[in-house]
Amino acid sequence: MSSGRKVVLNSRPGNDGAPVPGNFRLEETTLAPDLKDGEVLVRTLCLSVDPYMRCRMNEDTGVDYVTPWQLSECVDGGGVGVVESSLCSTCSEGDVVTSFNWPWQTNAVVKGSALQKVDPQMVDGRLSYFLGAVGITGLTALLGVREKGNVTKGANQTMVVSGAAGACGSVAGQIGRLDGCVRVVGICGSDEKCKALVDELGFSAAINYRREDVPTRLKECCPDGIDVYFDNVGGAISDAVITQMNADSHVVLCGQISQYNKDVPYPPPLSDEITETLRRRNVTRERFTVLNYMNKAEASLCELGQLVQSGQINVLETVVNGIENMGDAFCSMMTGGNIGKQIIKISE
């Protein structure tokens, strides 16, 4: 029997809705010595924590495309690892593989059919990128902008991204710039993040919502109004952006992290005033779920790989070491402690 460690859901968040590290528990685990047909033994290299996971901590996720985590059972999410042994025809020892439902374990026995083989050369060996810019997060950014943003080269468009220093927002803004927006403005929660957006990712400007008056700064940074809004946060920030949107503009409704700890439906309801603004200006605001566009995933991931390799997209990451820090990393990410993708490195 080989042993390892795993993270289970210890409890659900309390009445205030905010997750705490104590909601997770580290346990020792033993793996059966013999694989069954179709099974693979994997060693985990990196795990991902993402805002959508907050919904999985509830008894009911409120959406039909992700299931809730069960109490005292192993938690799962995006992961990348290496095959150590295999009784599956599609996986060989040494293959690097990824999954959207990777167990939070140091090593695990999983069905080979649940794994996707990836090519480390596609990311110059930086395997954590398969969980971010060249994974589901990058896909969400690229396809969100392309399918719902209506960005047109030469149309003199201005894009605003909220949660702009997060894993998805940081890529979405760069896609907007590459696809033809003349101005890309990011909204985030620290001066350090603002600096990274402008200096490292090529945003035109960045607004620190904790320290600056968002409506005033939006007017300064977006003198011609706003044509595309990539919304990762919802709430008061989004209301401020929508108020300054042009006629026939577009909201890409990607996430609503400011609302995830509250007991409200997804997407959360808007005020009458904002609803009227959307109607009067003919602003489209459609929910975007990347899982509805998986027929475009392969080509889009290849494009993202090329954009990253060529340096046209820069990748920001915050890396924490050790499976024992999963709960801390998750809670930090939920309160904006990360710049770019929050990664937990489990083994070399």
Side-chain angles (χ1 to χ4, degrees):
M1 302 282 269
S2 64
S3 63
R5 294 184 294 170
K6 66 178 180 180
V7 176
V8 302
L9 187 66
N10 188 44
S11 57
R12 301 196 188 276
N15 292 336
D16 70 345
V20 294
N23 293 140
F24 300 95
R25 184 173 77 241
L26 191 64
E27 290 184 351
E28 297 295 316
T29 178
T30 51
L31 303 175
D34 298 321
L35 295 176
K36 299 193 184 85
D37 195 40
E39 286 184 338
V40 175
L41 172 65
V42 289
R43 175 167 55 83
T44 306
L45 297 169
C46 301
L47 294 170
S48 166
V49 288
D50 301 281
Y52 83 88
M53 293 176 169
R54 173 61 189 82
C55 312
R56 301 192 69 189
M57 298 182 80
N58 301 335
E59 283 182 50
D60 177 1
T61 61
V63 292
D64 53 11
Y65 49 88
V66 286
T67 54
W69 289 329
Q70 300 302 321
L71 287 170
S72 295
E73 289 191 14
C74 188
V75 176
D76 68 297
V80 65
V82 64
V83 174
E84 302 232 294
S85 57
S86 171
L87 280 184
C88 171
S89 58
T90 56
C91 295
S92 308
E93 190 178 329
D95 282 354
V96 177
V97 289
T98 184
S99 169
F100 197 48
N101 297 107
W102 195 285
W104 288 12
Q105 295 184 197
T106 50
N107 40 32
V109 172
V110 294
K111 285 194 169 69
S113 58
L115 302 171
Q116 291 84 49
K117 187 176 169 181
V118 290
D119 178 6
Q121 286 186 308
M122 195 171 163
V123 291
D124 291 333
R126 290 170 290 197
L127 300 180
S128 56
Y129 286 13
F130 287 123
L131 302 178
V134 191
I136 197 87
T137 314
L139 273 184
T140 303
L142 179 83
L143 292 172
V145 172
R146 298 259 172 96
E147 299 294 327
K148 301 289 187 186
N150 290 78
V151 174
T152 313
K153 268 196 166 61
N156 201 37
Q157 288 168 306
T158 296
M159 175 191 258
V160 172
V161 182
S162 58
C168 188
S170 59
V171 176
Q174 294 181 83
I175 296 289
R177 175 172 53 76
L178 292 169
D179 280 4
C181 287
V182 295
R183 244 183 235 103
V184 178
V185 177
I187 304 174
C188 56
S190 76
D191 290 346
E192 185 190 2
K193 290 179 179 180
C194 287
K195 189 171 174 3
L197 291 181
V198 175
D199 294 352
E200 296 179 50
L201 305 186
F203 279 61
S204 319
I207 300 168
N208 178 351
Y209 73 85
R210 295 183 201 268
R211 207 175 53 74
E212 300 180 284
D213 182 69
V214 174
T216 304
R217 285 285 287 133
L218 280 170
K219 280 200 176 71
E220 292 168 5
C221 298
C222 310
D224 299 326
I226 298 160
D227 303 292
V228 185
Y229 173 39
F230 198 97
D231 184 9
N232 288 303
V233 304
I237 288 172
S238 289
D239 292 354
V241 177
I242 290 168
T243 302
Q244 296 188 35
M245 291 189 77
N246 292 327
D248 304 316
S249 56
H250 303 276
V251 179
V252 184
L253 186 58
C254 183
Q256 303 279 279
I257 194 170
S258 72
Q259 309 296 305
Y260 285 172
N261 292 335
K262 301 174 186 174
D263 188 16
V264 293
Y266 185 83
L270 297 171
S271 69
D272 291 345
E273 187 184 349
I274 294 298
T275 304
E276 176 56 25
T277 300
L278 292 170
R279 189 195 64 75
R280 200 173 62 248
R281 295 186 194 161
N282 192 35
V283 177
T284 60
R285 177 180 178 267
E286 293 177 346
R287 179 171 164 182
F288 174 74
T289 307
V290 71
L291 299 177
N292 295 340
Y293 297 90
M294 292 320 265
N295 60 318
K296 300 187 177 183
E298 195 175 341
S300 300
L301 286 170
C302 279
E303 182 181 354
L304 286 161
Q306 288 161 356
L307 290 169
V308 168
Q309 277 192 318
S310 64
Q312 291 175 274
I313 286 182
N314 287 334
V315 181
L316 300 179
E317 287 185 326
T318 299
V319 181
V320 168
N321 287 309
I323 196 165
E324 66 278 6
N325 293 313
M326 291 297 296
D328 288 325
F330 176 80
C331 296
S332 170
M333 177 273 307
M334 284 298 296
T335 53
N338 56 304
I339 298 184
K341 180 77 181 180
Q342 178 71 63
I343 294 288
I344 300 83
K345 198 172 179 181
I346 306 300
S347 68
E348 292 293 343

